[in-house]
Amino acid sequence: MAAAPVIIVGAGPSGLTAAFFLVRAGVPVLMLERGDRIYDDPRAATIHPPTLEMFADSGITAKILEKGIVARYWQFRGLKEGQVALFDLDLLSDTTGFPYRVQCEQHRLSRILYAELEKSPDFEIRWSTPADAVTQDADGVTVTAGAESFRASYVIGADGGRSVVRKSQEIGFEGFTYPERFLVITTTHDFEPEGFSYSNYLSDPDRWAAIFKVPGDRPAGLWRVTSPTTPDEREEDLLDFAQAEERLQKLLPKEGGYEIVHTNLYAVHQRVAETFRKGRVLLIGDAAHVNNPLGGMGMNFGIHDAVSVSAKLAAVIKGEANDALLDLFDRQRRHAAQAFLQFQTIQNKQVLEEKDPVQRGKRLDDMRAAATDPVRAHAHMMKTSMIEGVRVVAAIE
Ligand SMILES: Cc1cc2nc3c(=O)[nH]c(=O)nc-3n(C[C@H](O)[C@H](O)[C@H](O)COP(=O)(O)OP(=O)(O)OC[C@H]3O[C@@H](n4cnc5c(N)ncnc54)[C@H](O)[C@@H]3O)c2cc1C
C-alpha cells in the first residue's frame, strides 16, 4: 500500500472502529499497534443501543448479536435490600430499533472489526510497533516508532489513557484519579437463579459492586464482579484466586465455593483532554477521555468518537468539506465527554457508594420510583443508554 492518508495509533475498539469506517468510505489507513495481537484482558463488555445503531448498516451489529448476550433488563440492587429497581429497556422501543444492551467483551468486538479490515487492500497494520513520537508540519504528520518513521496527512491517536500521541502534542488531560482501584473477578457461578439480571449494580456504603454476565469461553457464559479495593490492599493479595473467593463470599455468601477463573485490578480515572484536535492530530477513545466503568460507557463513547471522526475526516480528505469540520468533531465530542460521560459515570459511582444513611435511603427511593413510573423510567434509560447524549451532540454546530 502507498503512504496512507491516515495513520491510526492503537488497535483497541476505538482505533479499529475508526479504521473500519474510514476504509469503508474509501480512505486507506495504516494502523500501528504496540502489541502483537488484539489485547484481550477483561474490560468493557456492555454495548449500548446507539452503538448497535451505528454499526447496523455495516453488518457489524448482526455479528455482535451472534456473539453476545442480549440483556433486556438491568437491575439496581442494595447489597442487603436485594432488588430495588428493575429497568426494562424494551420501553425504549419507541426510540431505537435496539432496545437492549448486548453483553459482548471488547476483544470479541475488536476481532469482528479486525476480521473485516483484514479483507481490505486499503488497510495495513503493523503489530509490535509502539509509536514513540508524533510531529506535524504544514503538509502532514510524522509518526516514529523506534528507528522507523511513517508519514501521513492526519494521525488519529487511539492509543489509550496513556496516549503517546496526546502527550507528544502537549495536550493537557485534566481531572482526577480515585484513590481506590477496582478489582474485577470472573467466576463460573451463575447468579441468574438468585434473581439477578444479566446486568446489575449493587449499592452499599462499603461493599458496592457491579455484576454482569459475559459470553466468556464457555457455553454457559461467565460472570464478572467489579468492586472497589482500599489503597492499603496489596496487589498480589487482591489478585490471588483464594482471596478473591473469600471476597465474593463476604459480598454474597453461598454454600460451596465460587470457582474463580480470572482476576484483574485497574486504576480508575476521570479525565478529559483539553482538545480532541490539534492541527493534523485527532484524539479518540481513552486517549481523549477516561472514566470509571460503572454504566459501561467508556468503550461505547470511544466508538462514537470513532464514528464521528471517520465520517468528518473522510469528507475532508476527499475534498468534500473544509478541514474546519474537524473542529466540529472536537466541539461535539468534548462537550459530550464533559456533559454526559463524566457527569453520568461520576454520578453512577456516587449513587452506589452513598454512605449517609438518609441520603442513601432517598437515592434508593428515587431508583424505585424511577423504575415503576414508565415516564421516569423512559427518561432514566434515555440517559443511561447513552441515547440522549448522542442526540444532544448531533445538534451542536
Ligand atoms: C474494568 C473495566 C470495565 C469496563 N467496562 C466497560 C463497559 O462495560 N463498557 C464500556 O463502554 N467501557 C468499559 N470500560 C472502558 C473500556 O475498556 C475503555 O474505554 C476502552 O478499552 C477504550 O478503548 P480504546 O480503543 O480507546 O483504548 P484501549 O482499549 O486502551 O486500546 C488502546 C490500544 O492502543 C495500543 N497502544 C497503546 N500505546 C501505543 C503506542 N504508543 N503505539 C501503538 N499502540 C499503542 C494498546 O496496545 C491498545 O491496543 C471498562 C474499563 C475497565 C477498566
Side-chain angles (χ1 to χ4, degrees):
M1 190 170 77
V6 181
I7 292 174
I8 299 178
V9 182
S14 310
L16 288 164
T17 301
F20 177 77
F21 284 110
L22 280 166
V23 165
R24 210 169 127 81
V27 177
V29 168
L30 170 64
M31 178 167 264
L32 308 178
E33 166 57 43
R34 180 179 59 187
D36 61 1
R37 68 181 84 97
I38 285 167
Y39 201 47
D40 66 356
D41 76 332
R43 293 170 74 191
T46 300
I47 304 183
H48 288 292
T51 310
L52 298 168
E53 287 170 10
M54 289 175 199
F55 279 132
D57 282 352
S58 65
I60 297 294
T61 296
K63 294 190 162 68
I64 293 171
L65 287 166
E66 270 168 33
K67 307 263 178 201
I69 299 168
V70 171
R72 170 173 164 181
Y73 302 98
W74 63 268
Q75 277 184 48
F76 187 85
R77 302 176 65 101
L79 185 62
K80 297 186 186 68
E81 295 83 354
Q83 181 183 307
V84 172
L86 179 70
F87 289 94
D88 180 356
L89 286 151
D90 197 52
L91 260 188
L92 298 182
S93 48
D94 62 340
T95 321
T96 175
F98 304 95
Y100 39 76
R101 296 171 166 196
V102 181
Q103 298 297 119
C104 175
E105 299 95 330
Q106 75 178 56
H107 65 83
R108 238 176 260 279
L109 169 60
S110 293
R111 284 182 192 149
I112 291 171
L113 291 164
Y114 182 64
E116 294 304 309
L117 282 164
E118 259 190 324
K119 295 177 195 161
S120 171
D122 283 339
F123 176 73
E124 183 184 341
I125 186 161
R126 301 281 297 264
W127 298 104
S128 307
T129 306
D132 48 42
V134 178
T135 53
Q136 55 174 317
D137 52 55
D139 302 323
V141 287
T142 304
V143 181
T144 58
E148 289 190 282
S149 70
F150 306 89
R151 187 87 180 143
S153 300
Y154 291 91
V155 62
I156 298 177
D159 49 342
R162 295 182 183 161
S163 171
V164 164
V165 177
R166 185 187 70 239
K167 289 178 188 163
S168 74
Q169 301 303 301
E170 296 180 345
I171 297 171
F173 202 39
E174 286 305 310
F176 64 90
T177 298
Y178 289 107
E180 67 269 38
R181 291 169 295 175
F182 286 14
L183 179 65
V184 181
I185 302 173
T186 307
T187 174
T188 53
H189 178 67
D190 182 2
F191 289 90
E192 197 177 4
E194 289 146 40
F196 283 72
S197 302
Y198 293 155
S199 178
N200 313 271
Y201 302 95
L202 275 70
S203 103
D204 188 76
D206 306 311
R207 286 181 291 131
W208 57 264
I211 301 186
F212 299 92
K213 184 170 184 178
V214 294
D217 54 4
R218 4 199 129 184
L222 293 170
W223 290 74
R224 282 198 203 151
V225 181
T226 301
S227 62
T229 65
T230 54
D232 56 315
E233 288 178 286
R234 295 186 328 157
E235 182 163 344
E236 53 268 45
D237 294 338
L238 291 167
L239 296 177
D240 178 72
F241 280 18
Q243 297 195 37
E245 203 277 329
E246 278 173 32
R247 200 179 178 88
L248 287 189
Q249 289 288 1
K250 279 188 196 143
L251 191 70
L252 296 163
K254 84 172 191 77
E255 285 185 17
Y258 282 96
E259 186 192 349
I260 309 296
V261 294
H262 199 276
T263 55
N264 215 342
L265 193 61
Y266 294 94
V268 189
H269 318 271
Q270 301 282 163
R271 295 179 187 275
V272 179
E274 67 186 345
T275 180
F276 291 8
R277 185 216 175 169
K278 193 165 186 180
R280 296 175 174 277
V281 177
L282 300 144
L283 298 177
I284 61 171
D286 279 17
H289 42 75
V290 283
N291 55 273
N292 78 61
L294 300 168
M297 294 188 163
M299 175 186 74
N300 285 269
F301 201 92
I303 289 170
H304 304 174
D305 292 343
V307 170
S308 171
V309 83
S310 54
K312 294 179 174 69
L313 195 50
V316 170
I317 287 170
K318 291 188 210 165
E320 295 162 4
N322 184 284
D323 103 329
L325 191 58
L326 302 176
D327 292 329
L328 179 61
F329 158 74
D330 168 57
R331 279 200 303 283
Q332 290 181 330
R333 299 307 302 161
R334 202 156 38 83
H335 171 75
Q338 295 286 12
F340 296 96
L341 183 65
Q342 295 296 314
F343 176 82
Q344 188 68 53
T345 54
I346 289 172
Q347 193 183 57
N348 288 347
K349 183 167 181 290
Q350 286 168 346
V351 170
L352 284 188
E353 70 188 3
E354 181 62 62
K355 290 196 186 305
D356 178 77
V358 176
Q359 196 55 30
R360 181 165 186 272
K362 278 193 195 147
R363 288 196 193 271
L364 262 53
D365 286 346
D366 206 41
M367 277 290 174
R368 255 181 223 112
T372 42
D373 171 352
V375 175
R376 287 189 62 187
H378 193 279
H380 189 67
M381 288 187 286
M382 287 293 282
K383 286 197 181 76
T384 49
S385 298
M386 304 178 81
I387 299 173
E388 188 173 305
V390 168
R391 284 192 178 169
V392 170
V393 166
I396 296 176
E397 292 176 354

